[in-house]
Structures are given as structure tokens and as C-alpha cells.
Amino acid sequence: MAVPTTRTNEAGRIIINKKLCNGCGLCVSVCKDFSLIIENGKAVISDTPVFGCIGCGHCMAICPRGAITVSGRCISPEDMIKLPDKKSAADYSSLLSLLNRRRSIREFKEQTVKREIIEKVLEAAQTAPMGLPPSDVHALVFDSREKVRGFAEDFCRYLEGMKWFVSGWFLALMRPFWGKQNDELFRGFLKPCINIYTESMKKGVNLVNYDAPAAIYFYGSPYSDPADPIIAATYAMLAAESLGLGTCMLGAIHPMIQNGGAAKKFREKHGIKHKSREGLFLIMGYPSVKYSKGIKRTFASVDWHE
């Protein structure tokens, strides 16, 4: 028994060196699959796990004697890394400064974003937490302004064939079926979005992804937790900010390329491996504008549970 993903459908393999194990129980305490128990003063593999080892590696990472190894599910003992010293980590003040300084940037210099910078962004994004390992997040990298522009132009050609989907007769027909909120979303956001994208592109103006020097599309699969690509994209955004890049999240492209035969052909053409419930485009580049002030954000509500 194992939790399937596009990368594996087998459970992880736990090996316990009983000579090294001292029965401290730390591995048992962190394994939320209940794959481990203490028996006769030693850690042993349980006969009643919840899913079968999901390959999170917690037991291997916490064992003070190196008595446990996990392999399979895209993990191995060679993947273990030494945790950075706590003194090297950003404190709350530094992190908050980074967050407050970040603004959505859509105006970029002509300067190229070098491959090694994009690779650093991806390295940071891969540390993002996930619903269940191994990560089923996929990243499609556009490493030049020409590639970013080419995608946008093709996307607009694709949208031209979708305009019936936001036509007055179709929206009137569908309102009784999908309700007031969806009707308002289609009329107030999706329809103007499609129109401004396509009409601006005809004039040579790219409002899809703003001719950014680089972009990464984070998406999942039918198996992945819907939150996973969003979290990975957020990590990437913050990493890019720390490297001096301006960034902007683009959420309108993903939902338009998920459903139907034309969407499938579009995804295949651009090397997008799966349709997925959630996904985000992150555009990046060196800002050509400089903001002198930020704007304080708020949530819709913050309620403290009694």
C-alpha cells in the first residue's frame, strides 16, 4: 500500500540497524504514518502503518545515531544534508523587511536573468513543504524574454478561440447552472481579461506576462495537493526578491489552459506535462522602476478561536 503520485506508486523502504539503535523513540514520535514502534527496546517496523512509508525522511533525519535509512519514493540516505547553523538563518526582523520591501513588478530592464540566478531560485523553491512527498510540483522555466513573449503570443492565439466562452449568450445560458458568484467572476474578470490580453497583443503590447526576462510556471498533477505549486511559487518569489529581482505572480493563465481539447493541445505544445487544479506563473527580472513606499496589507478577518 502506498500513496500514488506521478513519480512513484510504491512505499518507502525503512531499514533499521539494530546494533546502532538505542531505542530512544524519537523516530516513533515523528512518524505520523505510524510505520515505527518500539519493541524490546529497539525501533522496529510496524505491521499497521496508515499508508505505508511516504518517504518524508523524518525518522532518518532525527535519529541521533544514524540507525535508520529510508530509500524509495525519490529519497535516499544520500539526500541527507546538514542543517545550516541557526545563527545563519534570517531572524523575524530581516524576514519581515524582505516581505515589506517586495512589490509586484511588471516593468523590467532589458537585463538578462542569468541561468545561475534562476537555478538559485529553483533551489530555494524545492525546499517548500508539500502535502505528501515526493513533491509532484512541476516547473516550466522560460529563461529569455523571447521565450516569455512567444508563450504570450501563442496564448493569445489560443484565447481567440475561447471568446465564445465569455460571450453574452453563453454567460446568460450558464448563470442558472453555476450561480451568481461564477457569473460575476466571468463577467467582471475573465471576459475583460481575455479581451485586454488579445486586443493589446494585436497592438504589440504584451499584458499576459509583460515581456519579463524570465518566468517559471509552477503546476501540479491530478495527484498533487492543490496547495503545493502555490507554496513552491511563493518560495521562489521570495528567493528571487532576495537575489535582487522584481517579481509578480500571474494567476489568470493557469485556469484557462486546464479544460478541453484545445487546452490539452496547448499544454502539449509547450511541454506542460499535466493538467492540475492549481498553478501559478512567476515572472522575474531586474526592476526598471523603484518604489519609495509600500502599502500595508490586511486579511478579510482574523478571528481568535474561543
Side-chain angles (χ1 to χ4, degrees), residues 13-29 31 33-49 53 59 63 67-69:
R13 298 180 296 278
I14 305 170
I15 298 175
I16 302 170
N17 186 328
K18 292 190 176 182
K19 290 182 180 179
L20 294 177
C21 177
N22 65 0
C24 70
L26 286 172
C27 58
V28 176
S29 68
C31 179
D33 181 60
F34 305 103
S35 289
L36 298 166
I37 59 173
I38 298 294
E39 192 175 88
N40 299 322
K42 299 285 184 178
V44 298
I45 298 173
S46 168
D47 292 329
T48 56
C53 175
C59 60
C63 180
I68 299 181
T69 58

Side-chain angles (χ1 to χ4, degrees), residues 290-306:
K290 183 178 180 180
Y291 289 93
S292 58
K293 293 184 174 67
I295 299 172
K296 187 176 181 180
R297 306 294 189 185
T298 60
F299 289 134
S301 68
V302 176
D303 302 309
W304 298 79
H305 190 272
E306 297 295 336

Side-chain angles (χ1 to χ4, degrees), residues 66-81:
I68 299 181
T69 58
V70 179
S71 58
R73 293 189 70 81
C74 306
I75 188 176
S76 74
E78 288 70 38
D79 294 318
M80 297 294 292
I81 61 172

Side-chain angles (χ1 to χ4, degrees), residues 96-105 241 290-298:
L96 187 61
S97 293
L98 178 71
L99 297 173
N100 279 329
R101 285 185 60 82
R102 197 209 73 82
R103 303 288 313 157
S104 290
I105 298 294
E241 181 75 19
K290 183 178 180 180
Y291 289 93
S292 58
K293 293 184 174 67
I295 299 172
K296 187 176 181 180
R297 306 294 189 185
T298 60

Side-chain angles (χ1 to χ4, degrees), residues 25-170:
L26 286 172
C27 58
V28 176
S29 68
V30 299
C31 179
K32 302 314 176 190
D33 181 60
F34 305 103
S35 289
L36 298 166
I37 59 173
I38 298 294
E39 192 175 88
N40 299 322
K42 299 285 184 178
V44 298
I45 298 173
S46 168
D47 292 329
T48 56
V50 179
F51 306 111
C53 175
I54 61 173
C56 69
H58 279 17
C59 60
M60 183 166 57
I62 203 168
C63 180
R65 298 174 65 87
I68 299 181
T69 58
V70 179
S71 58
R73 293 189 70 81
C74 306
I75 188 176
S76 74
E78 288 70 38
D79 294 318
M80 297 294 292
I81 61 172
K82 185 178 180 180
L83 289 179
D85 191 284
K86 190 174 181 179
K87 293 179 181 177
S88 68
D91 59 18
Y92 178 77
S93 178
S94 298
L95 177 60
L96 187 61
S97 293
L98 178 71
L99 297 173
N100 279 329
R101 285 185 60 82
R102 197 209 73 82
R103 303 288 313 157
S104 290
I105 298 294
R106 302 173 183 85
E107 300 81 20
F108 302 100
K109 295 179 180 178
E110 293 289 333
Q111 185 177 352
T112 299
V113 179
K114 293 182 179 179
R115 186 184 183 97
E116 53 264 36
I117 298 297
I118 298 175
E119 288 175 343
K120 285 184 177 182
V121 171
L122 289 166
E123 180 183 25
Q126 288 179 107
T127 70
M130 68 208 75
L132 285 171
S135 173
D136 223 350
V137 172
H138 300 261
L140 179 62
V141 180
F142 301 80
D143 59 358
S144 72
R145 190 182 299 271
E146 291 73 26
K147 291 178 183 179
V148 170
R149 174 78 180 209
F151 179 89
E153 290 174 342
D154 199 35
F155 180 64
C156 285
R157 286 190 288 270
Y158 162 76
L159 290 182
E160 288 288 351
M162 284 185 60
K163 285 190 173 180
W164 64 269
F165 197 60
V166 290
S167 63
W169 68 265
F170 183 78

